[in-house]
């Protein structure tokens, strides 16, 4: 393997990041950037180069504390020191995962991105910078390939993507892991080594530690070639979406789609149109197989027959030649799981059994922080004896009475667990935080929100 010229690699990296910024974001004056930083080599180098290429006062370095490693506190301190040395603001955010629920990788990924978006919202930042590089891209393509993904999955990670109204920016996708390590050595950056990265029970680790090295031994340059394939597929995906948008505009009738116009298209164009329609509604598109079955039912039904195609997030209905989408209103309320959490500042509590998460953030209203600090929180179904107050001087009422008084529909009542400390309700679905506590304006307060996840899991397959 040829020796790298450290100074040349550093100069090329700075130029690549500056050019990437100039292509899409230079017109955004004074935009703030959240930088996800784990303390590893990749994200440490990203923070270092951004602090040189951009104004450090624009940056907020964020370390996500998953609570999975006994070294996490020390790693957070490493990132804080790295940020301070570069005059960059620092935030540490704690999240809670349910390790007994399985798929810790997916939980951690969902929690990480949600936490970064909350920090971006708090700091009024428009961009989240992530340190994924060329090797990560190749790993993602192969992971999607073994899942049987289509073009969208195999296109892997784009340089730019909008997620929850925030721009995700990956300026290192053309840079190899070896080049980043070279830059870290040149800049004297000491990075941490996460022991979990050696655990091949996690699929991405197995791909990085076993599969890609084997491919490189057999086909030198395989990693670069696979990453290059992702770029080609991204171009194909962009064309597919452009055609889908044009076809959707032609087939649209009010809030629906004319089935007669849908029938004129080829099957691939129908799929592209339906995917674009779901994207426009801010919904995750069903699988390719489900879309094929949906169009079959819509196009082969008798003219006088009403058709209903059930999907994960709602149903497609065909009536009088128009296809409309109806979202599910009633959430599965059969969950009887009781979960507990010792709260010490976590920003998120993932509850996979409930298909959602509680999110905690500072605000002008909410629960006094002193009530929550070091308390044991309980998330459970409603049992019928809970009480709720709309103000400290208002009477305590049963949740049933409060729901009826405020016309809260059934699906809102049963779509999430009740959150309690002992027998005291903190938050109730459809009503929000209990306002039983008295406090003055200077009291630190925590806002509690519930965020539901799609029933088929986090929609972050391309975010990684």
């Amino acid at each position: 393997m040829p020796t790298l010229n450290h100074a040349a690699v550093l100069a090329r990296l700075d130029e690549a990041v500056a050019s990437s910024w100039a292509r899409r974001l230079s017109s955004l004056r004074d935009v703030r950037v959240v930088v996800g930083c784990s303390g590893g080599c990749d994200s440490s180098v990203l923070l270092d180069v951004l602090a040189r290429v951009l104004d450090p006062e624009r940056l907020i370095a964020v370390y996500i504390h998953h609570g999975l490693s006994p070294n996490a506190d020390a790693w957070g301190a490493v990132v804080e020191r790295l940020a301070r040395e570069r005059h960059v603001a620092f935030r540490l955010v704690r999240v809670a995962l349910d390790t007994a629920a399985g798929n810790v990788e997916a939980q951690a990924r969902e929690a990480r991105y949600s936490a970064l978006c909350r920090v971006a919202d708090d700091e009024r930042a428009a961009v989240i910078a992530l340190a994924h590089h060329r090797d990560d891209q190749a790993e993602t393509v192969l992971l999607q390939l073994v899942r049987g993904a289509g073009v969208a999955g195999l296109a892997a990670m784009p340089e730019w993507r909008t997620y929850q109204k925030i721009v995700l920016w990956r300026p290192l996708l053309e840079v190899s892991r070896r080049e980043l390590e070279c830059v870290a050595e040149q800049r004297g950056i000491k990075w941490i080594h996460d022991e979990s990265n050696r655990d091949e029970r996690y699929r991405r680790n197995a791909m990085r530690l076993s599969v890609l090295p084997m491919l490189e031994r057999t086909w030198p340059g395989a990693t670069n070639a696979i990453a290059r394939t992702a770029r080609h597929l991204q171009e194909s995906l962009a064309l597919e979406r452009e055609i889908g948008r044009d076809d959707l505009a032609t087939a649209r009738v009010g809030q629906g789609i004319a089935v007669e116009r849908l029938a004129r298209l080829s099957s691939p164009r129908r799929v592209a149109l339906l995917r674009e329609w779901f994207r426009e509604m801010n919904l995750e598109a069903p699988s390719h197989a489900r879309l094929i079955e949906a169009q079959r039912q819509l196009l082969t039904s008798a003219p006088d027959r009403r058709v209903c195609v059930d999907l994960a997030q709602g149903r497609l209905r065909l009536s009088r030649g128009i296809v409309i989408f109806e979202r599910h209103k009633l959430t599965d309320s059969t969950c009887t799981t009781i979960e507990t959490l010792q709260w010490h500042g976590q920003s998120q509590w993932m509850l996979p059994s409930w298909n959602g998460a509680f999110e905690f953030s500072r605000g002008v209203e909410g629960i006094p922080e002193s009530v929550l600090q070091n308390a044991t929180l309980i998330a459970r179904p409603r049992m019928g004896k809970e009480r709720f107050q709309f103000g400290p001087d208002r009477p305590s009422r049963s949740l049933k009475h409060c729901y009826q008084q405020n016309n809260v529909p059934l699906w809102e009542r049963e779509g999430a667990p009740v959150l309690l400390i002992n027998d005291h309700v903190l938050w109730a679905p459809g009503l929000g935080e209990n306002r039983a506590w008295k406090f003055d304006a200077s009291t630190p307060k925590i806002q509690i929100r519930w965020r539901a996840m799609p029933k088929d899991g986090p929609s972050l397959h391309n975010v990684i």
Side-chain angles (χ1 to χ4, degrees):
M1 186 174 295
T3 302
L4 296 177
N5 183 318
H6 287 51
V9 171
L10 177 61
R12 189 165 67 251
L13 176 61
D14 286 1
E15 174 59 27
V17 172
S19 298
S20 178
W21 176 269
R23 282 196 300 272
R24 294 289 294 269
L25 292 172
S26 59
S27 61
L28 297 178
R29 296 181 179 177
D30 301 322
V31 64
R32 306 198 73 198
V33 180
V34 166
V35 186
C37 190
S38 66
C41 177
D42 313 334
S43 58
S44 297
V45 170
L46 176 63
L47 180 60
D48 179 71
V49 69
L50 289 179
R52 293 196 310 277
V53 171
L54 304 180
D55 180 355
E57 293 188 359
R58 289 185 173 194
L59 307 178
I60 308 102
V62 179
Y63 175 77
I64 308 300
H65 191 309
H66 295 94
L68 297 175
S69 170
N71 301 312
D73 290 333
W75 296 341
V78 169
V79 177
E80 183 176 15
R81 183 172 65 253
L82 186 71
R84 187 174 60 249
E85 290 171 351
R86 286 152 183 79
H87 309 289
V88 171
F90 171 77
R91 290 274 300 270
L92 183 148
V93 181
R94 296 178 183 271
V95 297
L97 307 178
D98 184 357
T99 55
N103 203 347
V104 175
E105 280 182 290
Q107 282 192 65
R109 181 172 61 241
E110 174 75 18
R112 185 162 57 251
Y113 281 89
S114 296
L116 289 171
C117 286
R118 285 197 304 278
V119 173
D121 187 54
D122 292 345
E123 300 286 349
R124 298 188 178 183
V127 180
I128 296 173
L130 302 168
H132 299 113
H133 48 73
R134 187 192 300 159
D135 300 62
D136 291 326
Q137 186 76 303
E139 292 163 13
T140 302
V141 173
L142 292 176
L143 286 168
Q144 295 287 13
L145 184 64
V146 297
R147 289 171 183 154
V151 172
L154 292 173
M157 297 179 287
E159 182 181 9
W160 305 94
R161 184 176 186 228
T162 301
Y163 175 68
Q164 295 187 6
K165 299 182 180 180
I166 304 293
V167 175
L168 300 184
W169 178 36
R170 298 184 177 90
L172 305 182
L173 288 179
E174 299 299 321
V175 183
S176 70
R177 179 181 289 115
R178 182 166 173 248
E179 287 173 315
L180 291 175
E181 291 176 353
C182 170
V183 169
E185 294 171 4
Q186 172 77 0
R187 295 284 297 165
I189 297 171
K190 304 297 183 184
W191 66 88
I192 63 100
H193 295 274
D194 185 342
E195 68 276 0
S196 69
N197 288 337
R198 307 298 302 177
D199 188 345
E200 293 197 36
R201 289 177 299 176
Y202 297 121
R203 293 177 181 178
R204 181 167 288 273
N205 289 349
M207 192 66 72
R208 179 172 58 251
L209 298 174
S210 297
V211 178
L212 268 177
M214 182 273 292
L215 287 175
E216 282 288 345
R217 286 193 300 271
T218 308
W219 293 283
T223 300
N224 293 348
I226 295 169
R228 188 165 61 250
T229 295
R231 292 198 299 275
H232 297 327
L233 289 168
Q234 286 167 13
E235 293 175 359
S236 298
L237 183 61
L239 178 60
E240 177 188 307
R241 289 177 176 173
E242 184 177 332
I243 293 171
R245 284 192 293 270
D246 290 344
D247 287 340
L248 177 60
T250 301
R252 192 193 306 276
V253 177
Q255 297 299 311
I257 295 171
V259 72
E260 180 267 335
R261 297 174 190 172
L262 190 67
R264 296 176 189 171
L265 304 173
S266 66
S267 180
R269 287 179 65 168
R270 290 178 205 136
V271 170
L273 182 154
L274 292 172
R275 281 182 177 148
E276 198 60 35
W277 192 29
F278 278 93
R279 188 175 294 110
E280 186 181 84
M281 293 186 288
N282 294 316
L283 296 170
E284 184 178 7
S287 69
H288 182 269
R290 197 74 186 111
L291 288 175
I292 292 292
E293 174 60 20
Q295 62 169 295
R296 185 194 68 79
Q297 293 187 41
L298 293 170
L299 298 177
T300 60
S301 63
D304 58 345
R305 182 186 171 200
R306 290 178 178 269
V307 179
C308 178
V309 182
D310 285 318
L311 302 172
Q313 301 167 85
R315 58 182 63 88
L316 290 171
R317 288 191 179 275
L318 174 62
S319 179
R320 298 181 179 181
I322 304 299
V323 183
I324 61 172
F325 181 78
E326 294 179 349
R327 298 172 189 253
H328 285 315
K329 293 184 178 179
L330 186 61
T331 306
D332 184 5
S333 59
T334 59
C335 183
T336 58
T337 302
I338 298 175
E339 306 276 4
T340 62
L341 170 73
Q342 192 77 19
W343 194 84
H344 48 82
Q346 295 96 323
S347 65
Q348 185 177 68
W349 181 14
M350 297 286 293
L351 294 170
S353 58
W354 284 91
N355 278 318
F358 280 112
E359 296 180 341
F360 306 89
S361 60
R362 291 185 179 274
V364 295
E365 297 180 349
I367 305 294
E369 187 173 4
S370 58
V371 173
L372 290 170
Q373 197 64 51
N374 297 318
T376 299
L377 307 186
I378 302 169
R380 63 163 174 77
R382 188 159 58 98
M383 296 180 177
K385 297 182 180 180
E386 299 88 357
R387 311 288 291 182
F388 192 90
Q389 286 177 248
F390 289 102
D393 299 319
R394 300 277 297 277
S396 172
R397 304 287 191 187
S398 70
L399 271 185
K400 180 179 179 181
H401 176 89
C402 294
Y403 284 141
Q404 293 173 342
Q405 181 184 15
N406 289 271
N407 298 314
V408 178
L410 180 62
W411 61 83
E412 289 191 26
R413 307 180 196 184
E414 299 184 347
V418 179
L419 184 64
L420 306 97
I421 294 180
N422 297 323
D423 293 325
H424 300 287
V425 172
L426 287 174
W427 182 95
L431 297 173
E433 293 134 346
N434 194 346
R435 273 84 81 186
W437 287 272
K438 289 185 177 181
F439 48 79
D440 57 43
S442 63
T443 301
K445 292 169 282 293
I446 300 296
Q447 290 181 323
I448 302 173
R449 295 185 179 88
W450 173 258
R451 183 173 53 79
M453 291 189 298
K455 290 185 180 181
D456 53 354
S459 56
L460 288 170
H461 299 304
N462 276 353
V463 179
I464 309 301

